[in-house]
Amino acid sequence: MTSTERRRLLKQTIVARRGVEIMIAELAVAEATDAALDGVESYLKHADSDLVRTKLAHAIDLEFEKKVAWATGNPYVAALQDEAHRYFRAVWEAEKIMPHSADVRSAQHWEILASLRARDSKRAVELMTAHLDAQGLGNNPSN
C-alpha cells in the first residue's frame, strides 16, 4: 500500500470513528444515569493512577470510550462500538499511530465526562471530535 493509500485509509477511519464515538457521546448525554457516569469517573481515576498507563497506548482511550458506551444503557451500541474498535486499533497499529501523552488524553477524557455530566450535547460533540482528531493524522510522523 502506498503512503497516499495509507493516508486515505487513515482519513476514512477517522471519519468512521467520529460517526461511532460522537453518536455515543450524544446518546450518553441523553441517556446515561448519574450512577453510570460515576462508573466512567471511577475508571478515569483508576487510569490516572496506573503506573504503566503510558504503555497502554490505545487501551486507555478505547476503555474510556467503552465505559461511555455502556453508560448509555444500550448493549447494542456498546457491541457496535466494540466491533468498530477492533478495526480502529488495527489501523492505528498498522500506521504506528500513537495517541497524545497519557496526561493529554486524560485531560481530554475528564473534559468529555464533565460535558456528559452537564448534559451538554454540543460541548460533548466538540470535545469528542477534538479528542478523536488529536489521535489521527496529527500524530502520525509520516504526515
Side-chain angles (χ1 to χ4, degrees), residues 12-26 77 80 84 88 128-129 132:
Q12 291 170 344
T13 302
I14 291 166
V15 169
R17 188 162 183 234
R18 279 185 189 151
V20 171
E21 303 300 350
I22 290 170
M23 176 270 301
I24 289 170
E26 289 179 306
V77 167
L80 171 70
F88 299 153
M128 186 60 81
T129 300
L132 297 174

Side-chain angles (χ1 to χ4, degrees), residues 6-80:
R6 286 192 341 265
R7 185 178 174 94
R8 187 170 148 257
L9 175 63
L10 182 57
K11 284 181 180 181
Q12 291 170 344
T13 302
I14 291 166
V15 169
R17 188 162 183 234
R18 279 185 189 151
V20 171
E21 303 300 350
I22 290 170
M23 176 270 301
I24 289 170
E26 289 179 306
L27 189 58
V29 165
E31 300 295 332
T33 64
D34 289 339
L37 294 177
D38 288 346
V40 176
E41 182 175 339
S42 292
Y43 169 73
L44 290 179
K45 287 177 181 175
H46 171 74
D48 281 351
S49 67
D50 192 329
L51 298 177
V52 296
R53 68 189 172 136
T54 57
K55 295 180 182 175
L56 296 176
H58 307 297
I60 288 174
D61 288 300
L62 296 180
E63 188 63 24
F64 167 73
E65 290 151 8
K66 182 178 180 179
K67 298 287 187 197
V68 172
W70 279 105
T72 69
N74 187 324
Y76 173 77
V77 167
L80 171 70

Side-chain angles (χ1 to χ4, degrees), residues 33 38 58 61 65 77 97 108 112-113 115 122 127:
T33 64
D38 288 346
H58 307 297
D61 288 300
E65 290 151 8
V77 167
I97 296 169
Q108 292 170 341
I112 292 166
L113 176 59
S115 70
K122 181 180 178 196
L127 291 169

